[in-house]
Structures are given as structure tokens and as C-alpha cells.
Amino acid sequence: MAEFKLLNYAGMAGEPRPGLLVDGDKVVDLEQATGAAAWAASTLSILEVWDTSCSALHDIAEAATDTRPLADVRLMAPILYPPAIYCAGANYKKHAMEMSPDGKTFPDKTKVKPYFFLKNPRHCVIGPGDDIRLPAISKMVDWEAEFAVVIGRRGKNIALADAFDYVAGYTIMNDLSARDQGTRKDWPRFASDWFSHKNFDGAAPMGPWITPADQIADPYACRMKLWVNDDEMQNEVVADLIFDIADQIQSISERMTLFPGDVISTGTPSGVGRPRGIFLKAGDTVRITVDGIGELKNPVVDGD
């Protein structure tokens, strides 16, 4: 089977057009390739029928002749927009340690369950190359490279053994965090404010595309790296997860029905800015690479 990546690129009017990346540097327009089939109208509609669309996309990639150079298109976020973005908190051992008061401890998965919060997809998702606009309400915006799981089948109360049957593929997400918004002095009765901490315009850069699950044999072997400008800040394999991908799928599906297009951002490794007192500033560039997926790169500018 020919390999491909599922993506969105900007059309003539700036509209998202679903496509495939083939041969590493060629883009197939799926409206043209499918004769404007309804199932291929968007990447989300493709994910909604992933059990059948995946094989059709492999066939399209195999026979692709009408392509355009990747260098000639402007990529957009691969899902516009996910039904939900579930984010795992403190889910890499070394990151949990660097954020703990003593710098040594991380959650014992035999005693606790996974910790999740939500990001608002329509407001937070931006694509590769889009500006990270620093919100005026925060002076402490931090980076968080994350391996993100894209759901391809509806499911509730999913068993651990069946979890990967519900995975369509993987992408990269930067779980940007406004560290100085995590607590509220005006609401001392609450320990934290995850809404303000994690939700602001552009707080979830995502992309550059979705790599189908059948093209990554072992997601836990994938290495994630993040640079701010030329400085490498994060470098870890996904295997450092406390609660693994199956754990997270099972846990979320006990409470919420998972839908095609949902994204589970599985946590960030060590190397974030807060423990060092380093935060993003206008003029920076954040670059993330993940084995088997690609590169997500975003410039940083002042926002409002």
C-alpha cells in the first residue's frame, strides 16, 4: 500500500481543502481525486468513515498522478475543527517531576487515574506556519510539544485491549499554556483555573498533517523534539508516558463518547519553560518534530 498523510491546504479563497501528501513532497487534492465525493468533503468527514475511507485513500495515493508540489501550497491545521480536544495533564514522568515541588515525584498510576482538561477547538486550533499570538492577559506563555492521537471511530466504554482499533492516526500539537493564569486570587476557594491557563486564541497549534496509524508501527518509539529558535528545549520518546495511549482512550471513553475527529493530546515531556523561568516572546519561533509525523513550526508575535 502506498503511504500518505492526510492534510488540509488553503484553496484560492483561503478555504480548507482536504488532500493527501504522497511521495514526501506532492499533494493530491481529494475533491478532484474523488470526483467531489461527499465522504471526502473535509478531513473530518473522511475521519467519520475512517473504516472505509482509509483503504480508499491508500488506493488514491497508489494511483496519484495529478499532484502539486508541497512547496506551492499553504498548509492548514489537519482538522478544522476537532469535535473535542482532550489534553492529558502531568503525563510524562520527567515532566511531572520537573513541575513537582520537590522535583522528584510523579503520579503513581496504580493509585490515581489520568487527569484531563479540554481545549476549545474553534478558538485554540491554528495550523503550521500560523502566528502564535501571545495574549495580552499573560506574560508567561509556555510551550508543550505533544504527541496527539486522532480518533477514527465512535466509541464508549472502550476496553484497553481494543483501544487502538479506534485510532485513525497521529499528529503534533503544541499545548500552549499561560502559566500566570493557572490560579485565581479572586477565587481562593478553587485551587486552579484550567480554563484560563489553557484556553486562549491560538493556544493549540496543530499539524502539519495526520499520519495514519497503519504507518506508525510503534507510537511509543517516536521521539519528540522542540526548539525555541535554535535552542533545543524538549527531547523525549513517547514511551516516557505515565498513562499510555490505551489508558487514556479507556479513561475518557468511560465518561464521554469518543467521536471521529476527536483529538487526545497525550501530554508533554520535560523541558518546558516554567521551571527555568523562560517564556515565549515576540520574535521567537517554535519548532516541533515527531518521528513518523513531521514538523510543526510557528512564529511568535504579540497578540491582543
Side-chain angles (χ1 to χ4, degrees):
M1 295 188 297
E3 294 191 348
F4 67 88
K5 310 287 196 282
L6 179 63
L7 57 81
N8 277 316
Y9 75 96
M12 293 292 290
E15 78 282 4
R17 296 185 65 87
L20 301 183
L21 180 71
V22 298
D23 299 329
D25 61 356
K26 299 173 185 175
V27 174
V28 178
D29 183 277
L30 285 176
E31 180 181 27
Q32 297 173 356
T34 65
W39 65 268
S42 69
T43 54
L44 184 55
S45 64
I46 290 166
L47 291 165
E48 287 171 345
V49 291
W50 189 250
D51 286 345
T52 56
S53 65
C54 182
S55 61
L57 296 179
H58 277 296
D59 291 343
I60 291 169
E62 183 74 38
T65 55
D66 186 5
T67 64
R68 62 205 71 196
L70 175 63
D72 290 350
V73 306
R74 179 173 69 85
L75 291 174
M76 304 177 76
I79 314 173
L80 294 168
Y81 291 92
I85 301 174
Y86 300 95
C87 300
N91 197 39
Y92 274 75
K93 299 181 183 73
K94 293 169 192 168
H95 172 59
M97 290 166 65
E98 74 178 349
M99 299 292 275
S100 69
D102 62 5
K104 299 177 182 179
T105 57
F106 59 86
D108 181 347
K109 68 177 294 184
T110 67
K111 298 179 180 179
V112 300
K113 293 183 177 181
Y115 189 103
F116 295 103
F117 57 91
L118 290 164
K119 286 205 168 195
N120 187 303
R122 183 64 179 85
H123 294 82
C124 294
V125 171
I126 59 174
D130 289 344
D131 290 341
I132 294 171
R133 300 183 60 82
L134 299 174
I137 60 169
S138 176
K139 303 300 181 186
M140 298 172 64
V141 175
D142 205 348
W143 57 84
E144 295 191 26
E146 305 214 356
F147 187 85
V149 176
V150 181
I151 298 300
R153 181 187 293 178
R154 178 174 175 160
K156 185 76 164 63
N157 295 317
I158 298 167
L160 276 175
D162 300 329
F164 281 94
D165 294 341
Y166 293 80
V167 176
Y170 308 102
T171 190
I172 303 169
M173 200 181 91
N174 188 352
D175 174 23
L176 295 172
S177 303
R179 300 294 191 194
D180 50 357
Q181 301 296 305
T183 58
R184 294 277 297 273
K185 293 181 180 179
D186 58 333
W187 285 93
R189 65 187 295 177
F190 296 126
S192 59
D193 185 347
W194 284 89
F195 173 78
S196 297
H197 185 190
K198 295 292 190 174
N199 287 271
F200 50 88
D201 288 340
M206 187 182 294
W209 38 62
I210 297 166
T211 297
D214 61 18
Q215 292 169 39
I216 296 184
D218 182 4
Y220 301 114
C222 294
R223 181 166 293 276
M224 232 179 337
K225 297 181 181 182
L226 180 146
W227 293 261
V228 177
N229 304 321
D230 295 326
D231 298 323
E232 183 182 281
M233 298 296 188
Q234 295 183 281
N235 184 339
E236 187 58 85
V237 291
V238 178
D240 194 51
L241 286 170
I242 298 170
F243 293 98
D244 65 23
I245 293 167
D247 291 331
Q248 294 184 56
I249 290 172
Q250 180 196 47
S251 181
I252 294 170
S253 72
E254 287 175 345
R255 181 176 298 273
M256 306 277 278
T257 299
L258 284 170
F259 290 96
D262 281 349
V263 171
I264 303 174
S265 204
T266 57
T268 198
S270 62
V272 298
R274 189 173 84 171
R276 293 173 281 181
I278 305 170
F279 301 101
L280 295 176
K281 62 185 184 303
D284 287 342
T285 298
V286 183
R287 181 166 64 93
I288 303 170
T289 63
V290 176
D291 294 344
I293 300 177
E295 178 183 275
L296 175 64
K297 186 176 180 179
N298 297 93
V300 181
V301 302
D302 285 324
D304 49 23

